[in-house]
Amino acid sequence: MDRIKLSLVLLCVTTIVGLFVCVESRPQHNLPYENEELARIYMKDLDKKFSQALEETVNAQWIYNTNITDYNLEKMVEESQKYYKFQKTAWKDTILFKWEGFKDEFLKRQFKKLSVLGTAALEDDKLEKLSLLQAKMERTYSTATVCIRDKCNLALEPDLTRILASSRDYEELKEVWLKWRDAAGKPIRDQYIEVTKLGNEAATGNGFSDLSEMWLAPYESETFRDDVESLWNQLRPLYQKIHAYVRMKLRDIYGDKMPKDGTIPAHLLGNMWAQTWTSLLDDLKPFDKPSIDVTKKMQELNWDAEKMFQVSEEFFTSLGLIPMPPEFWEHSMLTKPKDRDVVCHASAWDFYNGKDFRIKQCTDVTTEQLITVHHEMGHVEYFLQYKNQPVVFRDGANPGYHESIGWPDTKLEDYLEA
Ligand SMILES: *[C@@H]1O[C@H](CO)[C@@H](O)[C@H](O)[C@H]1NC(C)=O
Ligand SMILES: [Zn+2]
């Protein structure tokens, strides 16, 4: 016994923020950064610090996103600087380890993920510039208002969204589409170009050829572009039929205003980005199928945002998934506040403390928004499933995966019978 004990040596490394960790080891493995046990202790410690650092920066983002002021912008940029700095230090420590030779795949993967620095690879002044630009773009985009005909101060949510969903006046829709882009898009053009440059610079700092390569890396497929192309080719025949059908239906409404080149003007699809066509459900339904647009029904029943989130939660718990925690109901922002500017674009938030999960949405009582409620709550369901994982794993298996989890097949018919 004693002989073995005597033959052990103490291996130590200094981790981020000066923490000193040591393990006993056999002398033949006496390079600390090759010692898997030591690496495990290091990673556990780093994980704790990472979640604290993330929680702080996410919290500052939440405050800005739900209350756009100069002060909150400054705080948010300050916090992201702190976070980037932490990331850089942690990265420098992490890459010292010779993790490729470790046996534990779980541990190896954490090292692998953390050895890609990402945006923080930029120099400090560029990081600050990037944070500021992003915050300002967000502000412009979120606070833009326009005048349509005799009404002014119209915001994207709810005013312009409502017009796009309900108006069938070609010229009015076009005016909304154009004016909102003039107000929200044109002023951020130069900033966007700047952000793109910085993004590409960060990517090359990580050994990627440009930002798009860095974005595709998490999919871990050498053939990702071809994979997508091949999926699209499978989908295209169906998409083209739907497109032609919708064009035909829209011709019934807009007549000769419809172009003859087989395209659909983006402002006619009921959504600012022509992204979902839900608002046209009744105009597009084939034959004499009953309507599945629940907007009127919800309004008749006096549903509000809270109720929409409750039925969404029931949907998920009926599948055996996890109810929203009390903190969700306490801290989420489910309607647009009247007393301040906010970023209305719906989003789901993980605060990385295992407790705090929130949604921010300027919920309007419409079918489209009911689907969005389910979508955002789908993200929270995913957060809840992986909340006990190490921080590096508290993310989608790949960036697309989160969106697919957050896209349950909402059965609108069920809500018509409510
Ligand atoms: C919004 O932020 C400001 C700080 O810029 C603060 O004084 C104010 O109380 C906040 N409002 C709300 C409703 O949180
Ligand atoms: Zn989403």
Side-chain angles (χ1 to χ4, degrees):
M1 269 302 264
D2 268 348
R3 285 231 322 267
I4 297 172
K5 223 179 189 171
L6 278 174
S7 72
L8 292 175
V9 294
L10 213 53
L11 295 179
C12 303
V13 292
T14 310
T15 73
I16 30 155
V17 214
L19 195 109
F20 197 59
V21 283
C22 298
V23 288
E24 289 182 336
S25 175
R26 284 164 206 284
Q28 62 264 38
H29 297 120
N30 62 357
L31 288 169
Y33 292 109
E34 285 175 4
N35 185 287
E36 189 159 349
E37 221 24 67
L38 187 62
R40 200 186 314 279
I41 297 169
Y42 163 78
M43 192 49 85
K44 211 169 162 190
D45 175 54
L46 179 61
D47 185 59
K48 223 180 284 157
K49 295 204 168 68
F50 240 111
S51 57
Q52 285 160 3
L54 258 170
E55 185 182 354
E56 277 166 34
T57 192
V58 169
N59 199 46
Q61 284 167 16
W62 171 269
I63 290 172
Y64 178 66
N65 273 257
T66 58
N67 182 8
I68 300 178
T69 66
D70 288 334
Y71 178 79
N72 293 340
L73 185 148
E74 222 171 88
K75 282 279 152 202
M76 178 177 71
V77 171
E78 221 175 277
E79 284 297 330
S80 33
Q81 288 316 100
K82 252 171 69 188
Y83 180 68
Y84 283 136
K85 204 164 270 173
F86 167 82
Q87 255 191 319
K88 256 184 211 178
T89 325
W91 177 77
K92 281 181 193 151
D93 272 345
T94 303
I95 57 167
L96 291 175
F97 284 89
K98 305 279 177 281
W99 54 269
E100 287 94 341
F102 293 164
K103 291 198 178 63
D104 180 350
E105 291 295 334
F106 191 73
L107 185 64
K108 255 167 82 175
R109 191 151 171 86
Q110 290 176 68
F111 272 96
K112 187 177 178 198
K113 287 207 163 260
L114 288 174
S115 59
V116 181
L117 181 53
T119 310
L122 285 173
E123 294 137 38
D124 291 349
D125 57 329
K126 287 185 176 161
L127 279 173
E128 182 162 4
K129 194 169 156 200
L130 180 63
S131 301
L132 257 173
L133 283 168
Q134 284 172 332
K136 287 180 177 167
M137 282 163 65
E138 187 105 72
R139 173 181 227 159
T140 305
Y141 190 89
S142 299
T143 57
T145 58
V146 300
C147 298
I148 301 294
R149 299 188 175 173
D150 55 348
K151 283 207 185 103
C152 281
N153 281 320
L154 300 179
L156 174 62
E157 296 189 50
D159 314 298
L160 303 179
T161 306
R162 281 184 192 162
I163 299 174
L164 283 176
S166 61
S167 168
R168 297 294 178 264
D169 175 337
Y170 189 97
E171 294 307 326
E172 186 186 23
L173 290 168
K174 189 170 160 188
E175 192 181 337
V176 167
W177 197 97
L178 284 172
K179 280 196 171 157
W180 185 71
R181 276 169 175 75
D182 283 345
K186 279 190 185 163
I188 64 177
R189 187 179 189 278
D190 292 339
Q191 294 164 338
Y192 192 91
I193 292 169
E194 214 38 49
V195 164
T196 308
K197 278 188 195 147
L198 289 169
N200 282 332
E201 202 177 321
T204 49
N206 283 276
F208 295 103
S209 56
D210 61 25
L211 185 55
S212 72
E213 293 302 323
M214 190 157 97
W215 281 352
L216 295 185
Y219 289 94
E220 297 178 287
S221 166
E222 295 298 319
T223 55
F224 188 72
R225 288 168 203 272
D226 293 337
D227 301 347
V228 173
E229 182 72 17
S230 136
L231 284 171
W232 165 236
N233 283 332
Q234 287 173 46
L235 201 60
R236 181 159 40 200
L238 175 66
Y239 182 81
Q240 280 175 331
K241 281 196 174 115
I242 295 174
H243 194 275
Y245 171 80
V246 169
R247 229 156 53 215
M248 177 189 76
K249 286 286 191 182
L250 290 177
R251 192 168 293 280
D252 289 344
I253 302 171
Y254 300 106
D256 286 345
K257 295 245 155 116
M258 284 296 287
K260 301 210 172 4
D261 61 0
T263 58
I264 302 176
H267 58 278
L268 302 183
L269 287 161
N271 170 286
M272 190 58 92
W273 309 273
Q275 177 190 28
T276 64
W277 303 353
T278 319
S279 312
L280 305 181
L281 270 174
D282 280 352
D283 293 318
L284 301 181
K285 68 185 169 65
F287 313 114
D288 50 359
K289 291 279 183 197
S291 170
I292 52 163
D293 189 335
V294 294
T295 301
K296 281 207 191 75
K297 183 81 182 181
M298 288 193 293
Q299 284 162 0
E300 263 170 46
L301 294 171
N302 278 321
W303 281 22
D304 55 9
E306 184 102 0
K307 175 73 181 172
M308 290 160 77
F309 279 84
Q310 283 163 2
V311 299
S312 174
E313 186 187 37
E314 277 167 34
F315 169 81
F316 286 106
T317 52
S318 80
L319 300 175
L321 293 172
I322 307 170
M324 295 298 110
E327 288 84 355
F328 173 88
W329 300 105
E330 226 171 282
H331 300 305
S332 286
M333 189 200 92
L334 304 184
T335 52
K336 185 177 181 173
K338 291 193 169 65
D339 59 343
R340 59 189 192 268
D341 284 327
V342 300
V343 177
C344 267
H345 191 88
S347 53
W349 294 63
D350 184 349
F351 284 70
Y352 297 94
N353 59 13
K355 289 194 190 95
D356 219 332
F357 306 93
R358 306 181 192 173
I359 286 174
K360 170 184 69 56
Q361 188 174 342
C362 299
T363 317
D364 205 8
V365 184
T366 65
T367 303
E368 190 183 358
Q369 290 266 303
L370 183 66
I371 294 171
T372 305
V373 169
H374 285 70
H375 175 85
E376 298 306 332
M377 203 175 273
H379 286 306
V380 178
E381 284 295 344
Y382 201 178
F383 298 156
L384 289 167
Q385 294 290 334
Y386 60 53
K387 72 185 170 77
N388 294 322
Q389 294 287 327
V391 164
V392 276
F393 296 152
R394 281 189 236 166
D395 201 352
N398 66 45
Y401 213 74
H402 231 296
E403 295 310 315
S404 62
I405 297 276
W407 206 262
D409 182 12
T410 319
K411 272 190 78 192
L412 292 172
E413 295 93 321
D414 291 351
Y415 296 125
L416 274 177
E417 286 149 20

